[in-house]
């Protein structure tokens, strides 16, 4: 889950990272009031969860509250990369001497977090990474030891930061590390971290991605979720406690258990098929949940067939079958439905489903072959 700039910066500030004074507004009038309260020149910033807002015209300076209102009205009417701007951040404008990049993310290959810094911060950091990667200094962090002072000093030296700013820079790096670990983030980034003409370090922009699997530990983040950026099917799936990821194939998969879902997708590929999604309906799939899953699958126009692969353990297969039959009465799928049921009372379950005109299979191989054939128009 991505956080907005204003949310990320509020969190940074709790961890001692200096940010500009400012507030978020949903209307141009509010923007004007905030600019009046701040009483200085402000910057009006579109709050959308995409990069490159500056280049898209979503970040503009305003010399007084009246101009702040005008600019806010314009920015609030914008769409940036197809996303509507619903809020603007009104920040005290900074007088920039230089722009630094500072970010922490997980380096999966190194199996540990990595902190990165560059003196070439600002809007073109992706370009810097592509063309002059040596200008980005990387230091890996031992997750048990945490960020050490000497590592933060290495970064400061690596980006040729003047000595007088090291103490503040190291404090910001520690603050960012604390933010990253305590918030269960997979990314915590400041770009730019500016050195102002008054010789202060200030986080002008903030970006955070929170690990979705850790959200249960942070109820306050769930309330920050911005549904504009998420696929409607994924929002719907979350409502029913389903794990759903849309893919670009044509075989809809409904499976209980993440491992079984992965195996199902693999075997479809082995037989030349292409899964339309990853979907784990979880344990104890009742009719309501199965129906929701089926609705979500069938809302994808690419889906040409549906493969249900269910292992009945504690949940009995005949119960699952009744759930599927009830769900089909509600959803009425028009594409072939192939089902493989194994486990407790599997035979009884298969009988119920065959009566409901579903194509049944006994093994995963048979199910995958039938699904691939059906997707090619050769079945059902
Ligand atoms: P992004 O384009 O979405 O990354 O948005 P940023 O918040 O990083 O802003 C982009 C650029 O706008 C920054 O790199 C700065 O150069 C500039 N900018 C942002 N805030 C201010 C400010 O308060 N004063 C000045 N002079 N420039 C700013
Ligand atoms: Mn930025």
């Amino acid at each position: 889950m991505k956080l907005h700039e204003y949310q990320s910066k509020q969190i940074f500030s709790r961890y001692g990272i200096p940010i500009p004074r400012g507030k978020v507004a949903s209307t141009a009038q509010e923007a004007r009031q905030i600019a009046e309260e701040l009483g200085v020149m402000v910057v009006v910033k579109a709050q959308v969860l995409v990069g490159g807002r500056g280049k898209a015209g979503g970040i503009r300076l305003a010399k007084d509250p009246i101009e702040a209102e005008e600019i806010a009205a314009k920015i609030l009417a914008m769409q940036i990369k197809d996303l509507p701007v619903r809020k603007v951040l009104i920040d005290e404008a900074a007088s920039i001497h230089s722009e630094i990049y500072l970010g922490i993310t997980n380096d999966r290959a190194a199996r540990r977090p990595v902190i990165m810094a560059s003196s070439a911060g600002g809007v073109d950091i992706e370009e810097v990474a592509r063309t002059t990667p040596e200008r980005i200094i990387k230091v890996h962090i031992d997750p048990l030891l945490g960020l050490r002072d000497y590592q933060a000093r290495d970064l400061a030296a690596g980006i040729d930061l003047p000595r007088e700013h090291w103490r503040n820079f190291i404090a910001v790096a520690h603050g960012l590390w604390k933010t990253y670990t305590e918030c269960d983030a997979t990314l915590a980034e400041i770009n730019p971290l500016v050195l102002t003409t008054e010789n202060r370090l200030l986080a002008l922009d903030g970006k955070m991605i929170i690990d979705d699997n850790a959200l249960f530990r942070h109820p306050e983040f769930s309330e920050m979720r911005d549904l504009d950026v998420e696929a409607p099917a994924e929002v719907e799936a979350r409502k029913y406690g389903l794990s759903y990821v849309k893919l670009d194939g044509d075989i809809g998969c409904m499976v209980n258990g993440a491992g079984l879902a992965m195996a199902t997708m693999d075997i479809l590929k082995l037989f030349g098929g292409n899964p339309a999604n990853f979907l784990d309906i979880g344990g104890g799939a009742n009719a309501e949940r199965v129906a929701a899953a089926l609705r979500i699958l069938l809302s994808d126009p690419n889906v040409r067939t549906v493969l249900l692969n269910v292992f009945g353990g504690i949940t009995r297969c005949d119960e699952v079958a009744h759930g599927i039959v009830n769900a089909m009465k509600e959803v009425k799928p028009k594409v072939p439905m192939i089902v493989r049921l194994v486990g407790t009372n599997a035979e009884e379950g298969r009988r119920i489903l065959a009566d409901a005109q579903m194509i049944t299979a006994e093994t995963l191989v048979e199910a995958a072959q039938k699904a691939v054939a059906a997707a090619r128009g050769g079945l059902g």
Side-chain angles (χ1 to χ4, degrees), residues 41-58:
M41 197 159 144
V42 295
V43 56
V44 183
K45 310 183 75 175
Q47 298 299 291
V48 280
L49 293 173
V50 287
R53 296 167 304 158
K55 288 186 173 173

Side-chain angles (χ1 to χ4, degrees), residues 134-152:
E134 69 280 1
R135 293 201 62 191
I136 299 178
I137 312 298
K138 296 183 180 177
V139 177
H140 286 95
I141 302 173
D142 184 314
L144 297 179
L145 296 177
L147 178 71
R148 314 308 294 170
D149 268 352
Y150 77 88
Q151 294 180 309

Side-chain angles (χ1 to χ4, degrees), residues 5 9 20 41-48 50-56 58-61 91-96 99 121-124 189-192 194 202 204-206:
E5 173 195 5
K9 289 203 301 202
M41 197 159 144
V42 295
V43 56
V44 183
K45 310 183 75 175
Q47 298 299 291
V48 280
V50 287
R53 296 167 304 158
K55 288 186 173 173
I59 295 179
R60 287 174 55 191
L61 290 167
D91 262 0
E92 176 178 9
S95 165
I96 301 173
E99 303 190 58
V123 293
D124 285 319
E189 183 185 87
I190 309 174
N191 186 30
V194 298
L202 208 51
L204 276 208
D205 189 11

Side-chain angles (χ1 to χ4, degrees), residues 249-262:
D250 54 10
I251 303 174
C253 303
M254 192 193 300
V255 188
N256 64 340
L260 191 58
M262 299 296 278

